[in-house]
Amino acid sequence: MHAIKKLLICAICVLLYPIVAVAQTPEILKVDPPSWWTRSSMNPVRVMIRGRNFQGARVQLSGPGLRVIGAPKINDRGTYIFVDVSIAPNAPPGERSITVTTSRGSARTSFEVLAPLNRAGRFQGFSPNDVMYLIMIDRFADGDQSNNEPQQSRGIYDRKNKFYYHGGDLQGVIDRLPYLKELGVTAIWLTPWYDNYDRLNQIELKEDKPSTGFHGYNPQDFYGVDEHFGTHAKLRELVDAAHRSGIKIIQDQVMNHTGPYHPWVEDPPTPTWFNGTKERHLKNVFQTWVLHDPRPVERLKNETMEGWFLDFLPDLNQHDREVSRYLIQNTLWWIGTTGLDGIRMDTWQYVPNSFWKDWTAAVKREFPNFKVVGEVKDGDVVHTSFFQGGRVRFDGVDSGLDTLLDFPLFYPIRHAFAEGKPVDGIPKTLARDYLYTNSEILVTLLGGHDDGRFMSEKGATIAGLKLANAFVLTTRGVPQLYYGDELAMEGGDEPTTRGDFPGGFPGDKRNAFTAAGRTKDEQELFEYIKRLTTLRRELEPLRTGSLMNLHVSEQQYAYARNGKSGAVVVVINNENDAATIEFDVSRLTLPQQRLNDQLGVSRPVQIEDDKMRVSLPKRSAAIFVGR
Ligand SMILES: [Ca+2]
Ligand SMILES: [Ca+2]
Ligand SMILES: [Ca+2]
């Protein structure tokens, strides 16, 4: 008894000793950013140091080429220091140290000076010359089983649980680059790789049970790569390997909110870092229409812009200058340290345009060819087009946003080709293109990770999925495919739409990354999409030609892409019966009078009296060109 008591007292002494003895000594927990490169357009760089006992601290930098500019700003609790660090253009790359000193002691950490990455083949942007492919990292391919149960986050990996991590990672994407190349992909959009919380999410219950951050949208560290996916070095390896294969990398970023377990939630770096606090904040009411209303009800607008997503995702206040600076530098850092090519920005519309203006300007200043696609999930062109940059609206701000995911076109694509409803909903939507500053670069899609898969829509067939692909890969814009849709994968609402790619995981019964592992239907669909991406690559008009409607009826749609090298004519019959249509082509530049269908569905067509007469079997598409 006595021995146990003694042991207990000793244990308490050991536990308390460091707290009692060093409670007042400064301690550094994190430095953001951890590195920066010379000759950056962002110089000085604003460094945020998180830690303890910083009251009255001085900041010193050691090593050549670094200088502190001005006085550091320290918060009242002594847990954050903001300091401007100037980097000389000729500063040699390498580790430096940052020392924080108070009257009670000092703490030291490292900061790395980098050489700027060679620009050749990096920071490329994207265009209609690309075919984009969306991968949910956790669900595509497990290339490294050693990171499935990392020390720091045990118990959240379980392939049988659709809300847990399944093991997919960056190595898995590297391993499957040849597959993507074969399909004709030229750009990969990866769901966020930020470090998400290392534990079960007890705040957001899914089907009454805790979930995880496998999807990546709940960051706990904006500068970290999640330990399930790999490391920063592995990410660089992926970007370089993709570039060698002629494939670009697009990062999915989040600037609207943090994850619920971000350390900032309990200890915000400034009093106005978030819109509200965990205890007291607005809830997002999603009255998004007020965002493009010149006369909005202020309360509805505030609740939509500043309310916490789903009531638990802390909403960042981009009006706070430190927040704005932090987020802008964070974006530049990912691009500048990895060489990636584009960004897909999550929840674009819930972040003020005044911030986006500064953010896009900073991105373009450093990386002029870079492109950004924003997520504004809405089916109304009046609404989505409001957010595209290139002009000033009533709010007096040009956001600078290059392009948007084309959700207004996504819904009619689903209605027509999955549900078999009239195909004329598509040209009716395209007719609103004039509302955009530039519709040619909109990112078109027939599937994504936030919606049920095409094949899980009521009425969906492989024939319909082929038509949807034929349309997306031949209309204006930058086509975006969703992993597994090329195999007609099924999956209803999120997260079942985020199923595991067959063959990507240890123990999978078959490997659909190879022809031998695909069913007859899957192989046929895969080859069909591959044929379409090949045609898009070969035929310049399909990428850059102007879109011209030739014929619209309830279930038939014909259009041309009129390019520098002549015209390509696409005819779609969405009816469950064969159909024959005739239309005028006198406005097109067609070097040949005899056109051949590149998809092998229609007989060759002879143009007579400036007219094309096309007969197509039920639910089929043809691509005519004079070759
Ligand atoms: Ca893994
Ligand atoms: Ca993590
Ligand atoms: Ca917001």
Side-chain angles (χ1 to χ4, degrees):
M1 180 70 188
H2 187 70
I4 293 170
K5 205 170 170 184
K6 209 167 161 185
L7 204 68
L8 205 65
I9 291 165
C10 263
I12 291 167
C13 289
V14 169
L15 281 173
L16 285 180
Y17 173 75
I19 301 169
V20 173
V22 299
Q24 302 300 312
T25 316
E27 189 184 347
I28 297 172
L29 298 171
K30 184 112 171 48
V31 176
D32 292 341
S35 59
W36 206 261
W37 55 99
T38 55
R39 301 192 292 284
S40 166
S41 60
M42 183 64 78
N43 190 24
V45 63
R46 189 101 170 129
V47 174
M48 182 172 95
I49 306 168
R50 182 164 65 85
R52 284 190 266 270
N53 308 320
F54 289 157
Q55 286 91 346
R58 283 177 294 120
V59 178
Q60 286 163 304
L61 301 168
S62 65
L66 286 194
R67 202 154 52 89
V68 170
I69 307 276
K73 188 172 105 186
I74 302 167
N75 70 338
D76 291 344
R77 290 185 309 285
T79 49
Y80 291 91
I81 299 175
F82 294 92
V83 63
D84 280 338
V85 173
S86 158
I87 304 174
N90 58 353
E95 289 285 330
R96 304 288 195 280
S97 68
I98 298 180
T99 308
V100 172
T101 307
T102 70
S103 57
R104 299 166 299 275
S106 68
R108 179 181 292 204
T109 190
S110 67
F111 181 85
E112 193 177 358
V113 173
L114 307 168
L117 290 182
N118 186 338
R119 287 179 176 265
R122 295 190 170 100
F123 322 126
Q124 302 171 87
F126 55 81
S127 76
N129 290 321
D130 287 305
V131 174
M132 213 183 270
Y133 185 92
L134 164 58
I135 289 175
M136 176 149 270
I137 302 173
D138 183 59
R139 303 295 166 88
F140 186 61
D142 184 355
D144 177 2
Q145 291 176 54
S146 74
N147 58 22
N148 292 352
E149 284 269 31
Q151 196 90 48
Q152 73 199 72
S153 48
R154 289 205 179 278
I156 58 176
Y157 162 80
D158 179 2
R159 278 196 68 201
K160 292 195 189 72
N161 187 324
K162 62 188 177 185
F163 299 111
Y164 282 37
Y165 283 89
H166 286 190
D169 48 39
L170 299 174
Q171 184 61 51
V173 180
I174 295 174
D175 295 343
R176 301 307 176 182
L177 287 172
Y179 168 82
L180 299 171
K181 181 90 182 156
E182 188 196 355
L183 185 59
V185 170
T186 69
I188 305 169
W189 152 20
L190 293 165
T191 48
W193 55 63
Y194 301 121
D195 183 18
N196 274 231
Y197 39 80
D198 306 333
R199 48 170 289 173
L200 283 177
N201 181 349
Q202 307 282 358
I203 300 171
E204 182 192 25
L205 299 184
K206 297 272 196 176
E207 295 170 8
D208 293 330
K209 294 190 188 73
S211 56
T212 73
F214 76 88
H215 44 70
Y217 290 96
N218 291 176
Q220 70 170 2
D221 177 3
F222 283 93
Y223 279 95
V225 174
D226 196 88
E227 68 284 2
H228 294 90
F229 300 156
T231 59
H232 189 268
K234 185 56 70 180
L235 178 63
R236 276 203 60 181
E237 191 185 322
L238 165 60
V239 174
D240 287 347
H243 285 167
R244 279 196 300 276
S245 305
I247 295 176
K248 299 166 177 178
I249 296 291
I250 295 164
Q251 181 187 12
D252 201 328
Q253 292 198 351
V254 185
M255 306 260 114
N256 179 61
H257 52 258
T258 73
Y261 296 107
H262 198 295
W264 295 336
V265 182
E266 301 300 332
D267 183 19
T270 66
T272 53
W273 194 262
F274 291 112
N275 290 311
T277 63
K278 193 165 88 174
E279 293 74 28
R280 197 179 161 82
H281 57 258
L282 298 171
K283 182 181 176 178
N284 195 329
V285 290
F286 299 112
Q287 293 295 312
T288 52
W289 63 277
V290 303
L291 304 182
H292 70 246
D293 183 354
R295 303 173 286 268
V297 173
E298 281 302 317
R299 176 160 165 250
L300 290 181
K301 188 167 181 173
N302 289 345
E303 284 173 347
T304 304
M305 291 299 287
E306 299 174 8
W308 288 28
F309 232 72
L310 311 170
D311 212 18
F312 78 89
L313 290 177
D315 199 70
L316 287 161
N317 173 20
Q318 296 83 7
H319 294 299
D320 179 310
R321 288 169 62 88
E322 295 291 359
V323 173
S324 166
R325 184 67 179 270
Y326 183 97
L327 295 175
I328 288 171
Q329 288 187 175
N330 182 250
T331 293
L332 294 180
W333 186 84
W334 282 113
I335 308 169
T337 61
T338 63
L340 61 90
D341 304 288
I343 288 172
R344 177 269 187 188
M345 183 57 71
D346 190 61
T347 45
W348 178 275
Q349 59 183 328
Y350 306 104
V351 174
N353 262 348
S354 53
F355 165 76
W356 287 133
K357 178 176 181 282
D358 296 343
W359 181 87
T360 51
V363 170
K364 299 291 171 112
R365 197 178 301 127
E366 182 93 9
F367 309 107
N369 299 327
F370 206 78
K371 287 280 182 294
V372 178
V373 50
E375 179 219 20
V376 176
K377 194 141 193 264
D378 199 287
D380 185 355
V381 180
V382 169
H383 184 69
T384 55
S385 64
F386 175 76
F387 296 92
Q388 191 175 30
R391 68 178 151 192
V392 169
R393 301 289 198 128
F394 62 83
D395 62 354
V397 182
D398 177 354
S399 71
L401 177 61
D402 295 299
T403 182
L404 294 141
L405 288 165
D406 197 345
F407 281 108
L409 202 51
F410 166 82
Y411 299 105
I413 289 172
R414 285 289 181 95
H415 291 323
F417 301 126
E419 298 169 41
K421 289 187 177 148
V423 77
D424 62 1
I426 289 171
K428 282 176 183 168
T429 303
L430 289 167
R432 296 170 187 153
D433 270 3
Y434 73 93
L435 291 168
Y436 292 104
T437 35
N438 177 9
S439 59
E440 306 301 313
I441 194 181
L442 292 172
V443 176
T444 53
L445 66 156
L446 62 93
H449 60 321
D450 288 331
D451 292 282
R453 285 191 183 266
F454 185 98
M455 287 305 287
S456 291
E457 295 274 9
K458 201 162 172 269
T461 60
I462 299 261
L465 182 50
K466 281 180 167 178
L467 290 183
N469 276 287
F471 171 69
V472 166
L473 285 157
T474 58
T475 191
R476 58 93 176 113
V478 184
Q480 176 241 297
L481 312 175
Y482 179 44
Y483 84 95
D485 276 354
E486 73 274 24
L487 301 174
M489 271 175 71
E490 293 179 13
D493 287 346
E494 178 264 301
T496 32
T497 186
R498 305 165 174 182
D500 297 351
F501 193 103
F505 298 81
D508 280 0
K509 288 191 187 69
R510 66 193 181 98
N511 180 7
F513 284 111
T514 65
R518 298 194 272 264
T519 66
K520 187 171 161 289
D521 274 355
E522 289 170 354
Q523 179 60 12
E524 202 181 304
L525 179 63
F526 179 88
E527 288 295 334
Y528 188 79
I529 297 170
K530 192 173 140 184
R531 176 77 187 134
L532 289 166
T533 60
T534 305
L535 288 170
R536 194 174 169 97
R537 189 166 58 245
E538 290 173 355
L539 301 170
E540 169 273 324
L542 289 181
R543 287 177 275 120
T544 54
S546 63
L547 176 65
M548 190 183 284
N549 290 331
L550 300 171
H551 175 95
V552 176
S553 53
E554 195 171 293
Q555 286 296 23
Q556 287 80 35
Y557 177 33
Y559 52 94
R561 299 296 306 278
N562 219 359
K564 291 189 279 288
S565 55
V568 175
V569 176
V570 182
V571 184
I572 294 172
N573 175 25
N574 194 42
E575 201 153 327
N576 244 330
D577 273 313
T580 298
I581 57 170
E582 193 180 71
F583 48 88
D584 187 283
V585 290
S586 58
R587 289 181 301 157
L588 304 181
T589 318
L590 291 163
Q592 314 282 337
Q593 290 300 295
R594 191 182 148 90
L595 303 178
N596 295 302
D597 171 26
Q598 308 295 307
L599 293 176
V601 169
S602 165
R603 284 195 304 262
V605 169
Q606 190 71 33
I607 296 170
E608 282 167 21
D609 300 332
D610 284 335
K611 286 195 171 55
M612 257 180 92
R613 192 179 162 82
V614 178
S615 294
L616 288 183
K618 67 174 184 180
R619 303 212 79 185
S620 63
I623 299 176
F624 293 99
V625 62
R627 70 169 192 184

